[in-house]
Amino acid sequence: MTSQQATVRPWPLGLPLLQAIRRDPFGFVAQLRARHGDTVKLKVLSTDIYYLFRPEAARQVLVNHQDDFVKDQRVLEIMQSVHGANVITTEGAAWERQRRILAPAFAPKRIAACAALMAAAADECAGRELPAQTGASTVVDVEGLTTRITMDVILRALFSYRYGLEEAATVSGAIRALSRQLMRELFWPLRPAAWLPYPGRTEKARSLAVIHDLIRARIEARRRDMANGADAGEDILGLMLAARDEQAEAPHAALSDAEVLNNCVGLFGAGHDTSATALTWWVGLMAAHPEIAAQVRDEVRGLPDDHAAAARDIAEARLLNATIKEAMRLYPPSVATFSRRALRNVEIDGHTIVKGVLVIVPIWNLHRDERWFPEPDAFRPERFLPGAPALPRNAFMPFGVGPHFCLGQQFAMVEMALIAARLIRRHDFSLDHGTDLPAPMVDLVLKPRERLQVRFTRLA
Ligand code: HEM
């Protein structure tokens, strides 16, 4: 099938276009598709940008023609100003080598070994922050709660480290400040030199120092322990320090000190902010749909209430997992990562994409396409239950697809299901005002624009 294509040129200068996208990214892109069809070419100054709305076209770019496209260099450079060069911010041989070295840390048996700590992090945070007496209730800032839980999980999984509460608050403040700054820089038409006093530079440096101090201290402590005869350890840092790339020759077989630091920074950020975001929307959706929440609770209460059994059983909770997928369909946490630049002329979905052109796969719009998702804005977890009509490949892809697909996908699915199960088992969620959730905004990940406040009531 050949899709329609339209070239849109209403913006002679790039800036008003960037401002229009920034003001209302989803509305802007939805209008493009409504007016111009499945393939839309925007001309901004001398640059062409393609928006691809068909899952098949997305697949051609991300999978079939993966060697003909790379992540955009400008985006990688902006990300590198925070992460350094790591598996998330590099391409080509440097990326491939780091991905090979890190992959064993996310093997199923490693994830199963993390399950108990994931459930424990949820229970400990709930024990500290949520009411303990049957019938008691409290209104919770959901994003704060889910962030503290997933940050606890990732710090335990990476470093076997337990944060202090004050430290957690400082670190999440720094993460939010860095995300805001990265978003800002992504929308600047030009990148200022690092030494220029550009807006946000001082706060960026301060926030970066908070994250680096936390992570450097963990790495240095581990190296000290190893110098005193301890082994590298079983957590992700331990695996990183001990890992050797079979395909590389010494000294490139091991990760360098800088690579260890940069990958810890990357895994720390990518590994908790995304899952916290997905869980935040999930809690909101459960509060807005109490009848579905009650069915999920019944399902979860049928599972053993013990941490050790966690990983084995949680995949069996079909409805719970379907609600998490449906939450990520409606609110895909990682909305800003689906762009690629063509390395050469290439035929995609019947159109010639010329070398150098930027291609965007608008995941929000793909996930809300009424052709595959009837009543696309409605929360219908049954779309992901066994027996539901099959979806076209890549109509749903919150974790991406192709060589760069999310390295932490399985980790995140187990983690989110375990945390969600621990929270819903003992609490009812409700919204004090109406059933509408806050509007979303792209803050690197997809955050609620206003605080999502949900009442948690303790159940027997
Ligand atoms: C709900 C949770 C998560 C979502 C929705 C998510 C989504 C994504 C997406 C969309 C990508 C990029 C795909 C692309 O550019 O084509 C990605 C990459 C990545 N994610 Fe996740 N992620 C999640 C959790 C995690 C976790 C828990 C970890 C690690 C602990 C992680 C580690 C990574 C890494 C290392 C990459 C880079 C992969 C590469 O370029 O080779 N993610 N993720």
Side-chain angles (χ1 to χ4, degrees):
M1 168 177 147
T2 314
S3 57
Q4 293 173 272
Q5 183 205 323
T7 303
V8 186
R9 285 197 185 80
W11 297 276
L13 293 171
L15 209 51
L17 170 65
L18 290 174
Q19 281 166 349
I21 298 177
R22 191 158 189 202
R23 245 191 331 270
D24 177 14
F26 308 124
F28 173 86
V29 177
Q31 269 189 26
L32 282 185
R33 173 164 173 253
R35 287 190 190 153
H36 306 291
D38 274 338
T39 309
V40 182
K41 182 162 100 180
L42 288 186
K43 201 143 188 79
V44 189
L45 295 172
S46 58
T47 308
D48 287 342
I49 303 177
Y50 272 84
Y51 279 86
L52 302 179
F53 291 95
R54 284 203 331 119
E56 175 52 31
R59 186 167 183 85
Q60 286 180 25
V61 170
L62 299 171
V63 181
N64 305 1
H65 287 277
Q66 54 182 260
D67 295 337
D68 297 326
F69 291 92
V70 283
K71 291 188 180 178
D72 184 29
Q73 188 55 31
R74 180 173 168 274
V75 174
L76 290 182
E77 280 169 15
I78 293 173
M79 297 293 288
Q80 279 183 12
S81 70
V82 167
H83 285 231
N86 64 18
V87 69
I88 301 169
T89 60
T90 51
E91 269 286 3
W95 160 76
E96 219 172 301
R97 176 174 157 276
Q98 294 179 82
R99 174 114 190 174
R100 247 190 338 261
I101 293 181
L102 292 177
F106 295 92
K109 72 171 194 306
R110 291 276 160 206
I111 295 168
C114 287
L117 73 83
M118 292 166 173
D123 280 356
E124 283 174 32
C125 193
R128 211 170 46 227
E129 302 187 21
L130 300 176
Q133 280 194 339
T134 306
S137 79
T138 186
V139 174
V140 171
D141 167 14
V142 183
E143 192 186 323
L145 176 78
T146 59
T147 302
R148 281 185 290 282
I149 298 175
T150 59
M151 192 187 287
D152 192 6
V153 169
I154 198 69
L155 287 175
R156 292 195 209 196
L158 270 173
F159 307 120
S160 310
Y161 177 68
R162 309 289 305 280
Y163 65 61
L165 279 183
E166 208 175 304
E167 184 179 29
T170 314
V171 170
S172 23
I175 291 276
R176 286 273 60 76
L178 287 170
S179 302
R180 263 196 317 273
Q181 180 66 16
L182 288 185
M183 277 316 292
R184 208 171 172 188
E185 292 183 23
L186 284 171
F187 279 90
W188 287 343
L190 296 173
R191 263 206 91 208
W195 48 267
L196 275 175
Y198 58 81
R201 182 171 174 257
T202 310
E203 197 185 358
K204 181 176 177 181
R206 201 181 306 127
S207 304
L208 206 48
V210 169
I211 309 296
H212 276 184
D213 285 353
L214 167 82
I215 290 174
R216 275 210 185 92
R218 306 307 4 118
I219 299 174
E220 281 164 15
R222 184 66 51 88
R223 289 206 189 280
R224 265 198 311 278
D225 290 347
M226 288 168 71
N228 290 331
D231 59 23
E234 287 294 303
D235 50 21
I236 300 176
L237 174 61
L239 294 174
M240 264 194 229
L241 292 173
R244 296 293 174 270
D245 179 10
E246 304 286 320
Q247 296 184 34
E249 290 184 8
H252 297 294
L255 290 174
S256 69
D257 287 357
E259 285 173 326
V260 170
L261 172 71
N262 295 342
N263 278 295
C264 287
V265 172
L267 290 176
F268 173 66
H272 83 279
D273 211 18
T274 43
S275 320
T277 300
L279 284 165
T280 299
W281 291 111
W282 177 84
V283 170
L285 287 161
M286 288 290 101
H289 298 86
E291 64 304 334
I292 300 176
Q295 291 169 30
V296 173
R297 187 172 303 109
D298 281 351
E299 179 182 65
V300 164
R301 286 183 168 187
L303 300 175
D305 186 11
D306 103 66
H307 291 173
R312 201 176 53 240
D313 293 315
I314 206 66
E316 296 305 315
R318 296 256 157 83
L319 182 59
L320 170 72
N321 283 289
T323 57
I324 293 171
K325 286 183 184 161
E326 178 68 346
M328 285 196 291
R329 180 187 72 80
L330 285 170
Y331 300 100
S334 193
V335 265
T337 49
F338 293 85
S339 63
R340 296 290 188 271
R341 205 171 274 283
L343 285 173
R344 50 192 75 87
N345 292 1
V346 52
E347 202 69 15
I348 296 294
D349 209 22
H351 305 290
T352 304
I353 309 262
V354 175
K355 178 180 174 185
V357 160
L358 189 66
V359 173
I360 293 179
V361 175
I363 180 87
W364 168 279
N365 309 75
L366 249 71
H367 279 191
R368 290 184 184 236
D369 190 322
E370 65 283 357
R371 287 173 290 186
W372 348 111
F373 301 108
E375 291 188 84
D377 298 332
F379 180 64
R380 302 254 183 280
E382 61 274 18
R383 302 182 208 272
F384 294 102
L385 284 175
L391 293 170
R393 278 197 302 191
N394 308 121
F396 173 71
M397 52 166 175
F399 295 102
V401 66
H404 284 287
F405 84 93
C406 176
L407 187 57
Q409 171 169 354
Q410 296 309 325
F411 182 100
M413 281 310 292
V414 172
E415 174 193 26
M416 291 187 296
L418 285 170
I419 295 171
R422 304 308 295 174
L423 293 178
I424 204 166
R425 180 183 271 272
R426 297 196 180 83
H427 301 92
D428 173 67
F429 311 138
S430 58
L431 296 165
D432 279 355
H433 307 288
T435 53
D436 287 345
L437 300 186
M441 72 170 185
V442 186
D443 190 7
L444 217 52
V445 288
L446 192 70
K447 292 286 181 194
R449 193 176 287 278
E450 285 99 36
R451 280 181 194 284
L452 174 60
Q453 308 266 20
V454 168
R455 181 173 293 282
F456 280 56
T457 304
R458 177 74 185 208
L459 300 169

